[in-house]
Amino acid sequence: MTILLSEIDLEVKEILQEEIERQQNTLTLIPSENYPSRAILEAQSSVLNNKYAEGYPGKRYYQGCKTADKIEKLAIERAKQLFKGEHINVQVHSGTGANMAVYQALLKPGDKILSLNLFHGGHLSHGGKGTFTYNHYQIINYGLDRDSETFNYEEIERIAKLTHPQLIIVGASAYPRAIDFRPWRKIADEVGAYLLADMAHIIGLIAAGVHPDPVPYADVITATTQKTLRGPRGGLIICKKKYASSIDKAIFPGTQGGPFMHVIAAKALCFKEACQPEFKDYQKQIISNAKTLAETLKNEEFRLVSGGTDNHLMLVDLSDKDITGDKAATILEEAGIIVNKNSIPFDKKPPSITSGIRPGTPALTTRGMGNSEMRLIGEWISKILYNPHDRNIRRKIKKEVEEICKEFPIYEGLK
Ligand SMILES: *Cc1c(COP(=O)(O)O)cnc(C)c1O
């Protein structure tokens, strides 16, 4: 039982080693990625992996669930303390799974879902083409305002009144502004729709109180635990008491089998970490770092969608530059700067090419980087993107990136 990976499978071991080095020696600006604590990784690789516990605490379909019950109850208790929600489901495996369970709990096949256009920052799980959701529900989209590149409530209200959706979704994967949930509640009430707040990206900011709280407004809130919340890969559903039973049933047996008890243990720890005062400091620094990076890029004459950021990410519009989003992301990687390409609102290029990139600061902030590092990184990004044909610049910056990465280890002493 104590055989180590390095003793029985060098192939896998070497790939894992390579990934440790990649994460350590590059700058992750993908806003959905983060580095959870070693303790969270430890909980996630614990023997709870071995336990089947279908059902919920006290009502399992298997024997031997005493510790499974304890850990799930603890996770729920801590999540309730953190989010002040009436009911919480910690079993959901992912953000996408959480959304699918909400549709199953609240809707009938063929019902209408009103959500943000994927190409304006929405998420595939809100009804993008090719998804289960797209095939089973009628998807209606709202977009962003052409001038402000933010939500246009008059327009959303107009579409809602015209189409009478059963469910309205607020939440995005690439929206750099703070969201006020009050107008959303008002529109949902006006047309008799449920309101789902998909907070996958910004749940950490919400937990720390540095972003408006959807809990008083939304019927259901879905989230991931691996993004700004800095926990294990997983999902989370918060809902009003009256939806508790249908949400739980939509997870098990509706859309999942056995819960991942090891991940639930890691979620319990993640919620505890998020209750600490340092977590609030961390989330504040994420925003401060994003503002500094945004200012630096603006000083270098890059246009940011909506003019800036209130949260952990920004969308850089490259359409007036001699480079696509795809090419930008590729050449930044050559210098050890990891970002993703992203459509900008009203993008003329297809999603495989795009006119934008979507840098974010959660992962670098976890490493301890601050405003001066953000300025430096912003200048590197600028230099690389203004000189896409100059390989030497990228080679030089890659060395500097590796230097700064040494100063800010992802994990102290990780081999
Ligand atoms: C990331 C994200 C999800 C999906 O999360 P997964 O855990 O990858 O399934 C859902 N909604 C939004 C808005 C997201 O950004």
Side-chain angles (χ1 to χ4, degrees), residues 26-27 30 318 323-342 351-354 356-358 381 384-385 387-391 394-395 398:
T26 57
L27 295 170
I30 294 173
L318 300 170
I323 192 165
T324 64
D326 182 46
K327 176 84 179 163
T330 306
I331 63 172
L332 285 169
E333 182 172 13
E334 284 176 35
I337 297 173
I338 310 298
V339 302
N340 66 283
K341 63 185 165 195
N342 212 100
S352 55
I353 307 290
T354 80
I357 53 170
R358 180 188 65 152
I381 291 174
I384 292 165
L385 297 187
N387 299 284
H389 305 295
D390 192 336
R391 280 233 165 78
R394 301 204 283 277
R395 220 168 282 148
K398 185 167 196 276

Side-chain angles (χ1 to χ4, degrees), residues 32 93-97 99 121-126 171-174 198-201 222-224 226-227 233-235 358:
S32 47
H93 298 330
S94 70
T96 296
N99 288 338
H123 190 261
L124 268 173
S125 63
H126 300 173
S173 296
D198 179 350
M199 300 291 98
H201 260 265
T222 54
T224 59
Q226 74 269 19
K227 297 181 183 175
R233 207 155 256 273
R358 180 188 65 152

Side-chain angles (χ1 to χ4, degrees), residues 52-357:
Y52 246 104
E54 282 180 0
Y56 287 96
K59 294 168 289 196
R60 304 285 187 186
Y61 289 84
Y62 288 77
Q63 296 315 117
C65 284
K66 206 166 143 195
T67 50
D69 279 7
K70 272 190 197 165
I71 199 72
E72 186 167 349
K73 278 193 201 151
L74 185 63
I76 292 169
E77 219 171 87
R78 288 177 176 175
K80 278 191 175 163
Q81 198 183 328
L82 186 59
F83 296 108
K84 314 282 182 287
E86 289 177 14
H87 178 75
I88 305 232
N89 185 300
V90 295
Q91 286 195 7
V92 58
H93 298 330
S94 70
T96 296
N99 288 338
M100 288 175 65
V102 173
Y103 309 150
Q104 159 133 334
L106 302 181
L107 306 177
K108 296 187 297 300
D111 276 357
K112 292 178 202 154
I113 298 174
L114 177 59
S115 62
L116 177 61
N117 184 332
L118 182 62
F119 305 110
H120 288 209
H123 190 261
L124 268 173
S125 63
H126 300 173
K129 278 209 180 88
T131 64
F132 177 92
T133 309
Y134 179 84
N135 292 336
H136 293 270
Y137 303 95
Q138 283 187 64
I139 308 301
I140 304 150
N141 279 159
Y142 54 88
L144 297 181
D145 184 75
R146 212 175 249 282
D147 297 323
S148 67
E149 296 172 307
T150 59
F151 298 131
N152 176 341
Y153 294 109
E154 271 172 36
E155 178 64 6
I156 296 162
E157 187 177 23
R158 190 188 65 78
I159 299 172
K161 284 183 170 165
L162 196 71
T163 57
H164 284 280
Q166 279 73 28
L167 176 72
I168 299 177
I169 307 178
V170 52
S173 296
Y175 190 71
R177 292 306 186 175
I179 300 173
D180 175 8
F181 297 98
R182 220 167 305 204
W184 292 94
R185 180 74 259 172
K186 181 173 158 280
I187 296 170
D189 285 342
E190 277 169 5
V191 300
Y194 297 111
L195 181 64
L196 165 61
D198 179 350
M199 300 291 98
H201 260 265
I202 55 174
I203 191 72
L205 306 178
I206 290 166
V210 299
H211 184 284
D213 185 4
V215 172
Y217 300 100
D219 295 295
V220 188
I221 293 148
T222 54
T224 59
T225 47
Q226 74 269 19
K227 297 181 183 175
T228 49
L229 204 52
R230 203 165 60 179
R233 207 155 256 273
L236 177 70
I237 305 177
I238 305 167
C239 69
K240 302 244 185 281
K241 208 170 188 73
K242 58 181 164 182
Y243 309 119
S245 153
S246 41
I247 289 287
D248 282 352
K249 281 185 196 144
I251 293 295
F252 175 81
T255 53
Q256 290 188 181
F260 297 170
M261 298 316 303
H262 54 309
V263 177
I264 291 173
K267 284 176 185 173
L269 175 53
C270 156
F271 301 142
K272 181 177 174 154
E273 287 182 4
C275 284
Q276 310 305 313
E278 301 82 52
F279 189 77
K280 187 168 182 149
D281 298 338
Y282 165 58
Q283 297 292 331
K284 280 189 187 156
Q285 191 59 47
I286 288 178
I287 295 179
S288 172
N289 279 351
K291 285 196 191 300
T292 301
L293 184 60
E295 282 311 313
T296 309
L297 291 171
K298 274 162 71 171
N299 286 342
E300 300 283 329
E301 314 260 307
F302 287 92
R303 195 188 82 81
L304 301 188
V305 167
S306 84
T309 179
D310 302 323
N311 58 24
H312 63 304
L313 64 79
M314 65 215 68
L315 259 181
V316 185
D317 176 4
L318 300 170
S319 58
D320 62 346
K321 304 280 184 289
D322 187 22
I323 192 165
T324 64
D326 182 46
K327 176 84 179 163
T330 306
I331 63 172
L332 285 169
E333 182 172 13
E334 284 176 35
I337 297 173
I338 310 298
V339 302
N340 66 283
K341 63 185 165 195
N342 212 100
S343 297
I344 55 161
F346 309 98
D347 207 321
K348 294 194 180 72
K349 297 201 171 72
S352 55
I353 307 290
T354 80
S355 304
I357 53 170

